[in-house]
């Protein structure tokens, strides 16, 4: 093995994501050799499929390639692997290089390139990086410089963009009743024909510029297959090319179409994705120079057959740099991506041809991942069907995502082309309320404390919202609405945030209140909130009882654990007042602590500056610097701790 090299490995994903699985095996390192500097690691995918001997270091390359080809956007590729093993760094890194080279050949037929080999053990968090141009162990070089980037998103999105192409195909299949096995061959042949047509010189591709967050008109051009680098086999393609005028449109860069916000990031893409749109247009009569009337031919069936209309809904998302030409993006990314997805869906359709699977691609950008991924779901039986749940759990495991929260459900899928407003996340859910108001508040004043906060987004519900007068009695209702909004934003629930009357009706329906309760101005507390959450969302709750407000600081450690493990908003009810707790800042050594309070008693308009400056959302100590008690000594308090459902 050669000595150290001056080459640098740049890691954009968090180091913890590379170490998310301490089981022996491999993690594929993902990069973008076309658009990012060499040896830039963007993310990692866990290798899930091994050969029947269950050797975690012997991948089933065919299965791995089928899944990753579907998952990974064109524009990204495997650039190496991480070996999780016994601490023999050089040998482990060599096995990682060897595996990633084979994997690239299975994926796209390209294995001969510089690759990153990395190794870690099962105990420490040390990762050793090597680079190699071949699978010969002697050619590996130790990397002397490894940079874990503090601001990784700028590498991806500062000069990067997304391209999207949707295409729906309906293939009529006639399967002989006594020869159903022939259906697979027929479908395979039709899919091959459809794939070939995507490379036809007569096919046109309409490219439309993104138009979100801009007043400029959408820019669009049409490119034909003969203008692209598709190596067509048609003998008359040169004649067609000669008959067309070169417009120079093929040399336009993606930046001509992608009018993006300078502050684009993964979080803005999750809320409102923007992409260059590609449409496929097929002119079936273009290659026929002679004028003719339409002709219909009749071919009688020679045997009884069953007609199946097999639907292929393609939705391909690709990544490119802004200076990449649109013609190259079509020929090297979009069209190969369409063909890959067409073949992936074909493999899933053929075994279940007679039961007509309903396969749809969706794009996701879960937290901790810097780039989108694509998943194809069969929606015949809905998302809650066991097989779909197992598929999502497998994807969570591959991507290193937590197994106790839904991040890859259809409701999590990226939304494209939504008009921006003050709050795009709220627009997605049909609301214009303020969200996450605590992000603008000053520090707590606790010295040396550890801050534990709510995990996820929520909306701020308070008195007089939407013109409904609940001043003096509706604070617990408003706290409950904030809690429900959290479950909606985290995709645990799809129901709307309940009104006061709907909350009251739920309590009546379960027998906790009399019918006269509906429409009243009666208070509710932590117990009633737990009933409603259970009935409407199926959410269980933990309740902490405190005899006096001055005892609340004693619960800070328990609350800190709650926010670290559950991450849900907490309702605090005492006397006739209710608050929403969003976090705690706790110094275990000194016992000093502060509570991050979202106060539902606010009656003004949704002015964030006014809310923060007025202390309606802010850190509160049980006793402030002037000796005033925020929590009353002569009142008991109930703390409602909603639990996070264990689901994907």
């Amino acid at each position: 093995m050669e000595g150290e090299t001056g080459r640098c490995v740049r890691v954009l994903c968090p180091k913890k994501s590379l170490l998310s699985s301490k089981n022996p095996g491999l993690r594929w390192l993902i990069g973008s050799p076309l658009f990012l500097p060499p040896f830039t690691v963007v993310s990692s995918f866990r290798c899930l499929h091994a050969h029947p001997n269950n050797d975690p270091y012997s991948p089933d390359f065919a299965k791995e390639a089928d899944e990753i080809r579907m998952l990974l956007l064109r524009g990204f590729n495997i650039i190496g692997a991480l070996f999780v093993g016994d601490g023999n760094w050089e040998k482990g890194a060599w096995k990682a290089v060897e595996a990633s080279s084979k994997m690239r050949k299975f994926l796209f037929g390209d294995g001969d390139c510089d690759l990153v080999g990395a190794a870690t053990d099962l105990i420490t968090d040390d990762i050793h990086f090597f680079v190699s141009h071949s699978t010969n162990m002697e050619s590996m070089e130790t990397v002397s410089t490894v940079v874990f980037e503090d601001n990784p998103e700028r590498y991806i999105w500062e000069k990067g963009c997304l391209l999207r192409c949707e295409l729906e195909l309906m293939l009529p299949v006639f399967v002989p009743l006594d020869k159903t096995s022939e259906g697979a061959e027929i479908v395979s042949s039709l899919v091959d024909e459809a794939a070939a047509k995507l490379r036809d010189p007569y096919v046109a591709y309409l490219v439309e510029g993104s138009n979100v967050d801009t007043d400029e008109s959408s820019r669009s051009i049409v490119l034909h297959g003969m203008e692209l680098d598709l190596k067509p086999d048609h003998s008359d393609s040169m004649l067609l090319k000669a008959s067309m005028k070169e417009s120079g449109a093929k040399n336009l860069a993606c930046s001509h179409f992608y009018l993006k916000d300078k502050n684009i990031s993964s979080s803005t893409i999750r809320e409102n994705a923007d992409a260059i749109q590609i449409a496929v247009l097929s002119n079936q009569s273009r290659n026929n120079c002679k004028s003719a009337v339409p002709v219909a031919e009749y071919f009688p069936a020679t045997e009884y057959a069953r007609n199946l209309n097999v639907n292929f809904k393609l939705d391909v998302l690709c990544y490119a740099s802004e200076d990449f030409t649109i013609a190259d993006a079509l020929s090297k990314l979009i069209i190969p991506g369409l063909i890959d997805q067409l073949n992936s869906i074909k493999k899933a359709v053929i075994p279940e041809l007679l039961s007509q699977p309903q396969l749809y691609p969706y794009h996701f950008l879960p937290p901790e991942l810097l780039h989108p991924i694509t998943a194809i779901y069969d929606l015949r039986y809905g998302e809650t069907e066991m097989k779909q749940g197992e598929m999502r759990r497998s994807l969570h495991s591959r991507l290193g995502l937590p197994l106790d929260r839904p991040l890859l459900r259809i409701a999590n899928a990226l939304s494209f082309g939504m008009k921006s407003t003050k709050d795009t996340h709220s627009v997605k859910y049909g609301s214009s309320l303020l969200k996450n108001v605590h992000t603008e508040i000053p520090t707590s004043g606790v010295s040396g404390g550890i801050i534990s906060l709510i995990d996820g987004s929520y909306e701020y519900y308070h008195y007089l919202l939407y013109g409904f007068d609940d001043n003096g009695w509706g604070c617990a209702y408003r706290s409950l609405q904030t809690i429900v909004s959290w479950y909606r934003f985290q995709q645990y629930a799809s129901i709307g945030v309940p009104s006061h009357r709907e909350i009251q009706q739920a309590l009546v329906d379960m027998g906790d209140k009399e019918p006269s309760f509906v429409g009243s101005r009666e208070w509710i507390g932590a117990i009633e909130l737990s009933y409603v959450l259970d009935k409407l969302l199926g959410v269980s709750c933990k309740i902490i009882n405190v005899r006096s407000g001055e005892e609340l600081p004693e619960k800070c450690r328990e609350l800190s654990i709650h926010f670290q493990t559950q991450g849900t908003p907490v309702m605090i009810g005492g006397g006739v007042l209710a608050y929403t707790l969003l976090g705690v800042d706790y110094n275990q050594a000194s016992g000093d602590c502060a509570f991050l309070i979202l106060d539902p008693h606010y009656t003004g308009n949704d002015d964030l500056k006014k809310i923060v400056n007025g202390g309606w959302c802010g850190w509160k100590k049980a006793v402030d610097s002037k000796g005033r008690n925020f929590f009353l000594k002569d009142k008991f308090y109930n703390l409602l701790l909603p639990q996070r459902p264990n689901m994907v």
Side-chain angles (χ1 to χ4, degrees):
M1 191 181 79
E2 298 182 12
E4 289 193 355
T5 175
R7 292 179 175 179
C8 170
V9 170
R10 193 176 302 276
V11 183
L12 304 187
C13 58
K15 185 177 181 181
K16 66 179 182 180
S17 69
L18 299 176
L19 303 169
S20 60
S21 174
K22 278 298 187 179
N23 297 317
L26 292 169
R27 294 191 71 88
W28 307 116
L29 301 179
I30 309 300
S32 182
L34 265 177
F35 307 118
L36 296 176
F39 312 122
T40 299
V41 179
V42 177
S43 64
S44 71
F45 292 172
R46 182 182 173 188
C47 176
L48 295 182
H49 300 294
H51 281 295
N53 60 7
N54 289 323
D55 179 1
Y57 305 113
S58 299
D60 185 328
F61 290 103
K63 282 186 178 180
E64 283 290 297
D66 282 346
E67 290 190 10
I68 290 180
R69 189 182 296 111
M70 178 177 62
L71 196 66
L72 198 59
L73 269 59
R74 280 278 181 164
F76 294 101
N77 204 337
I78 287 178
I79 62 167
L82 169 66
F83 179 94
V84 183
D86 56 7
N88 188 331
W89 314 119
E90 292 84 359
K91 185 178 179 180
W94 170 68
K95 287 184 177 179
V97 167
E98 187 179 42
S100 56
S101 178
K102 289 182 181 178
M103 188 63 182
R104 284 177 60 94
K105 290 177 181 177
F106 270 83
L107 274 175
F108 305 120
D110 175 22
D112 187 20
C113 65
D114 290 344
L115 295 171
V116 177
T120 185
D121 60 28
L122 300 173
I123 301 174
T124 69
D125 290 341
D126 295 333
I127 304 177
H128 294 249
F129 288 89
F130 303 80
V131 296
S132 175
H133 183 68
S134 71
T135 54
N136 183 349
M137 189 172 178
E138 297 302 319
S139 71
M140 284 207 314
E141 303 173 4
T142 304
V143 174
S144 58
T145 305
V146 179
V147 178
F148 288 88
E149 283 294 335
D150 293 329
N151 185 18
E153 291 190 354
R154 69 184 181 91
Y155 281 88
I156 305 294
W157 302 116
E158 192 171 66
K159 295 183 179 179
C161 65
L162 295 173
L163 301 96
R164 185 188 186 206
C165 181
E166 294 179 277
L167 176 63
E168 189 164 0
L169 302 173
M170 180 180 289
L171 306 181
V173 179
F174 293 89
V175 182
L177 292 180
D178 58 345
K179 300 176 183 177
T180 55
S181 60
E182 293 183 5
E185 185 178 342
I186 296 170
V187 171
S188 184
S189 175
L190 290 173
V191 167
D192 291 343
E193 289 181 18
K197 286 182 179 179
L198 293 172
R199 297 183 180 275
D200 192 290
Y202 305 105
V203 171
Y205 292 89
L206 172 63
V207 184
E208 295 184 291
S210 59
N211 57 8
V212 176
D213 291 336
T214 178
D215 294 329
E216 297 184 35
S217 60
S218 177
R219 307 179 185 188
S220 61
I221 62 168
V222 174
L223 291 176
H224 294 84
M226 47 74 57
E227 296 179 90
L228 307 176
D229 183 18
L230 301 178
K231 299 180 177 59
D233 297 327
H234 296 74
S235 58
D236 58 348
S237 61
M238 294 303 296
L239 178 64
L240 175 63
K241 186 171 183 178
S243 68
M244 298 182 63
K245 294 181 179 179
E246 288 285 350
S247 63
K250 59 183 285 185
N251 297 318
L252 289 173
C254 291
S255 58
H256 177 80
F257 306 92
Y258 199 65
L259 307 174
K260 68 180 183 183
D261 190 332
K262 293 181 180 179
N263 297 318
I264 192 169
S265 65
S266 296
S267 60
T268 59
I269 290 173
R270 288 186 191 99
E271 297 178 355
N272 184 23
D274 195 10
I276 300 170
Q277 299 292 331
I278 315 290
V280 182
L281 309 174
S282 178
N283 190 336
Q284 298 295 329
S285 62
R286 178 155 200 158
N287 58 351
N288 192 344
C289 299
K290 297 179 180 180
S291 299
V293 297
V295 176
E297 296 185 64
Y298 172 63
F299 297 96
T302 58
E303 54 190 326
Y304 287 106
R306 179 180 176 182
N307 173 231
L308 300 173
N309 289 318
V310 183
N311 289 304
F312 285 78
K313 181 178 173 60
L314 308 183
D315 189 342
V316 169
L317 195 63
C318 301
Y319 171 83
S321 63
E322 290 184 327
D323 57 1
F324 205 52
T325 67
I326 197 66
D328 283 341
L330 284 168
S331 57
K332 293 180 172 60
L333 302 176
I334 291 291
I335 296 173
L338 287 169
I339 294 172
D340 282 346
Q341 196 172 96
L342 191 59
N343 286 319
S344 294
I345 295 178
K346 178 188 73 174
K347 288 183 179 181
V349 164
I350 286 177
E352 302 185 65
L353 183 60
L354 297 181
S355 60
Q356 293 282 281
Q358 299 174 22
L359 300 171
Y360 296 91
Y362 295 94
H363 309 295
F364 301 93
L365 185 54
E368 302 296 335
L369 207 60
L370 293 170
H371 60 86
I373 54 96
T374 301
I376 299 177
Y377 292 157
D378 185 352
L379 302 184
R380 277 178 295 176
Y381 308 112
E383 283 192 286
T384 57
E385 193 260 335
M386 183 179 296
K387 187 176 180 181
Q388 292 301 301
E390 290 173 357
M391 179 182 178
R392 288 195 301 272
R393 189 170 293 273
S394 175
L395 287 173
H396 275 244
S397 180
R398 185 182 288 282
L399 299 173
L401 302 175
L403 297 173
D404 63 348
R405 60 201 67 185
L407 299 172
L408 298 176
R409 290 192 170 228
I410 293 173
N412 301 103
L414 296 179
S415 297
F416 292 87
M418 293 175 58
K419 296 297 181 181
S420 177
T421 67
K422 177 179 66 174
D423 180 3
T424 54
H425 198 121
S426 293
V427 170
K428 182 176 179 179
Y429 294 93
S431 170
S432 58
L433 301 181
L434 289 175
K435 75 177 183 73
N436 302 337
V437 295
H438 70 282
T439 57
E440 303 293 331
I441 65 172
T443 58
S444 70
V446 174
S447 178
I450 296 176
I451 298 176
S452 304
L453 296 175
I454 184 176
D455 179 17
S457 296
Y458 63 90
E459 289 173 320
Y460 180 25
Y461 284 82
H462 56 80
Y463 278 167
L464 305 186
L465 202 60
Y466 295 135
F468 182 78
D469 185 3
D470 57 347
N471 195 349
W473 62 275
C475 50
Y477 293 84
R478 296 301 190 181
S479 182
L480 176 60
Q481 290 175 329
T482 294
I483 291 171
V484 173
S485 77
W486 183 92
Y487 280 94
R488 279 171 48 80
F489 280 130
Q490 273 55 249
Q491 314 304 330
Y492 288 113
S494 58
I495 68 166
V497 174
S499 66
H500 294 59
R501 190 178 188 88
E502 289 169 336
I503 293 169
Q504 293 171 339
Q505 187 64 56
L507 290 168
V508 170
D509 290 345
M510 69 181 67
D512 182 67
K513 302 292 183 185
E514 296 295 327
S516 59
F517 179 66
V518 177
S520 71
R521 294 190 165 211
E522 292 187 33
W523 298 322
I524 57 174
I527 302 298
E528 286 88 352
L529 264 64
S530 70
Y531 292 160
V532 175
L533 287 172
D534 181 38
K535 178 174 176 59
L536 298 184
L537 306 182
V539 168
S540 61
C541 298
K542 179 180 178 181
I543 294 180
I544 300 175
N545 304 115
V546 179
R547 292 175 297 178
S548 168
E550 64 181 357
E551 294 182 8
L552 270 171
E554 299 174 11
K555 302 299 180 181
C556 261
R557 184 176 182 276
E558 191 171 351
L559 290 169
S560 178
I561 294 172
H562 167 81
F563 286 114
Q564 292 169 15
T565 59
Q566 303 297 318
T568 64
V570 171
M571 178 270 199
I572 299 179
V576 296
L577 300 177
Y579 302 100
T580 307
L581 180 65
L582 304 178
V584 293
D585 191 353
Y586 177 53
N587 185 320
Q588 188 171 355
S590 66
D592 191 15
C593 65
F595 301 82
L596 181 51
I597 298 293
L598 184 67
D599 195 337
H601 302 94
Y602 175 66
T603 57
N605 56 12
D606 280 359
D607 183 332
L608 182 59
K609 186 175 181 180
K610 183 178 178 181
I611 291 167
V612 172
N613 292 342
W616 298 103
C617 181
W619 291 102
K620 310 290 183 182
K621 289 194 172 185
V623 181
D624 65 18
S625 58
K626 297 181 179 180
R628 294 175 297 191
N629 293 287
F630 183 77
F631 300 112
L632 304 177
K633 292 183 178 181
D634 59 345
K635 301 293 182 182
F636 71 90
Y637 285 83
N638 287 327
L639 285 74
L640 180 81
L641 284 62
Q643 302 299 288
R644 183 190 288 267
N646 189 2
M647 59 186 288
V648 295

